[in-house]
Amino acid sequence: LMWIAGHACIPMVNMIVLNMIFFTLSVAVDRVFAFKAPMRYRQMNHKVYQISSFSISILISTLLVIPDFWVATVEEVDGVYALFFADSCGLPCILFGYIRNAIYFIAAIALPICNAIIFKLYRRKNQKLTQMMSDKDKETEMRRHEKTLMMLTIFESTRIFIDSTFTAIFYASVYS
C-alpha cells in the first residue's frame, strides 16, 4: 500500500491537473465553435466529440506521467514511512517534465485567447439583438451577462496560470 502511495501520488496529481487543463480547453474550444458556427454546431454529433476529447486527454496525460512513477521511493525509517525523491530520475523524466510545463504554458495562453474570442462573439451577437429589439431592459441584462462572462474568464485564466506556476516551481525544486 505504501509503495502505491509513494509511487502513484505524484503521477496521479499530474494526470489530474493535465486532464483538468485539457477538459477546460476542450470546453473553451467547443464554446468558440458554438458561437462562431451555431448552425453547424447544432448538427454536430456531440457524443463523438466528447468521447474523442476525453480519450485523447486521458491518453496524453497518462503517457506524460509514466516516468513520474519512478521519481519517489518509500522507505521505512524508525517505524515511520518516509517519501524520498530521487536525485536524478534520468532524461525521460526531465523531458516529460518540460513537455508538461510547455502544455501548462500553452494552456495559460490559449485559454484566455479562447475566452476573449467567446466574449467578443457574445458581445457582437448581443449588439445585433439589441439593435433589432432596441429594448433598454434587454441591453442592461446583456451587459450584466457580459460582466459575469468576463469575470469567469479572468478567474479561470488566473487559476490556470497559478497552477502552472506552482507546478513549474515544484518541478524545478524536485529535479534540481
Side-chain angles (χ1 to χ4, degrees):
L1 183 62
M2 291 309 294
W3 186 91
I4 293 171
H7 289 287
C9 96
I10 292 173
M12 292 307 288
V13 167
N14 288 336
M15 189 183 307
I16 289 169
V17 170
L18 282 170
N19 278 326
M20 177 188 63
I21 288 171
F22 286 137
F23 292 152
T24 305
L25 282 174
S26 68
V27 168
V29 169
D30 183 58
R31 294 292 88 206
V32 168
F33 186 65
F35 272 108
K36 192 70 177 167
M39 294 303 198
R40 283 184 39 203
Y41 180 78
R42 186 175 292 159
Q43 296 170 354
M44 188 173 83
N45 187 353
H46 296 282
K47 193 61 92 174
V48 171
Y49 172 75
Q50 291 167 352
I51 290 171
S52 63
S53 66
F54 178 78
S55 301
I56 290 170
S57 171
I58 295 292
L59 179 68
I60 291 174
S61 63
T62 303
L63 290 175
L64 286 176
V65 300
I66 287 174
D68 288 346
F69 282 101
W70 292 274
V71 170
T73 59
V74 178
E75 297 177 13
E76 188 175 352
V77 179
D78 297 329
V80 177
Y81 290 102
L83 187 65
F84 294 100
F85 291 100
D87 291 337
S88 175
C89 59
L91 183 64
C93 216
I94 293 170
L95 180 65
F96 285 118
Y98 283 133
I99 292 171
R100 255 194 318 272
N101 286 339
I103 289 172
Y104 295 149
F105 179 73
I106 291 168
I109 292 172
L111 189 62
I113 290 172
C114 284
N115 288 332
I117 291 170
I118 291 170
F119 186 71
K120 184 176 181 176
L121 292 171
Y122 182 79
R123 177 172 271 189
R124 188 179 301 155
K125 180 181 175 187
N126 281 345
Q127 286 174 348
K128 288 179 184 177
L129 286 174
T130 304
Q131 288 173 355
M132 287 172 34
M133 298 174 74
S134 75
D135 187 8
K136 291 296 179 187
D137 293 335
K138 195 70 166 171
E139 186 175 345
T140 305
E141 183 72 19
M142 288 181 198
R143 295 289 178 235
R144 189 172 60 81
H145 288 301
E146 285 178 2
K147 288 179 184 176
T148 304
L149 182 64
M150 189 52 116
M151 290 305 294
L152 288 173
T153 300
I154 292 169
F155 174 74
E156 188 64 24
S157 302
T158 305
R159 186 187 60 76
I160 292 287
F161 178 74
I162 290 172
D163 284 349
S164 62
T165 302
F166 282 127
T167 304
I169 291 170
F170 172 75
Y171 279 113
S173 65
V174 168
Y175 295 132
S176 61

